[in-house]
Every structure is written in structure tokens, then in C-alpha cells.
Amino acid sequence: TPAQLQNFAKKTGDILPYTIVAPLLRKCRTALLDASRGQPIFALDNYGVQLEGVLRNWATDGEAHELEVADGEGKRSIFKSHKEPKFSLARDWQPWLSTRQPAHGGG
């Protein structure tokens, strides 16, 4: 969440105003979901039901988020939420993460 990122930055001696944090999080989410398209994922719905499949598509419209996941048999499921999606990345993503350019400051 924006507040979590701001608190983390504060602990490291940086100040990140919301006007920077919100677009930064959107940019990060977009890059992550774009890179995940066509990749195997685990999606968890609001009831704790997990689906293993391939991310086919995603969309965000304001506060509404949607993921389209296809299981191994080709059945497509749509996950919708009005909350920010949560992500947990496997170690396999480490090379991709280490090639990303800093979005704010740094070099």
C-alpha cells in the first residue's frame, strides 16, 4: 500500500509524498502484471480458494482490478477485486527484478 511504502522510506531516511508513491506503485504493478502475462501463476480469491494457471490478461479501472487466469484444461476464471492486488514472487523472478531500472532516484 502507499502507506507501507512511505513508512519503509521514512525508516531509511527518505520522504516519499503520496504524489510520487501512488504513480510509482501503479507503474510497478503494471510492469509486474505485463511481465506475468502468459506465465504460470497462483491466484487466490477473497474466500481463500486458490487456482493454479496461466495469467491470460489483466485490467485495472480506477480501484477495480481484474485478472483472467486459465487453468491446465483451458477453463478461464476471472478474479475481480476493489482492493489492491497482493503479490508474492518466487525466487525465479529475481533476475527480472534485478534488471529493472530504478523508478525514483538511485542510479
Side-chain angles (χ1 to χ4, degrees):
T1 67
Q4 289 172 317
L5 182 55
Q6 287 173 308
N7 287 334
F8 175 79
K10 186 176 180 181
K11 288 179 185 177
T12 62
D14 291 320
I15 297 174
L16 288 176
Y18 186 82
T19 56
I20 291 175
V21 170
L24 181 62
L25 289 175
R26 279 192 299 273
K27 184 176 181 179
C28 179
R29 180 181 59 231
T30 297
L32 180 61
L33 288 169
D34 283 347
S36 299
R37 205 178 263 135
Q39 299 297 317
I41 68 165
F42 291 95
L44 188 68
D45 71 10
N46 293 333
Y47 301 102
V49 176
Q50 181 175 293
L51 173 68
E52 181 177 358
V54 173
L55 181 64
R56 291 292 176 208
N57 207 0
W58 68 273
T60 298
D61 184 15
E63 296 299 315
H65 306 280
E66 185 175 297
L67 299 176
E68 180 183 337
V69 181
D71 69 11
E73 298 172 0
K75 178 185 170 193
R76 294 181 185 236
S77 298
I78 304 293
F79 291 80
K80 296 180 180 185
S81 178
H82 286 283
K83 295 181 181 179
E84 282 286 324
K86 296 177 184 175
F87 300 99
S88 178
L89 301 177
R91 289 184 190 262
D92 297 349
W93 281 86
Q94 189 172 358
W96 180 84
L97 290 169
S98 65
T99 62
R100 306 298 352 149
Q101 295 296 318
H104 176 71

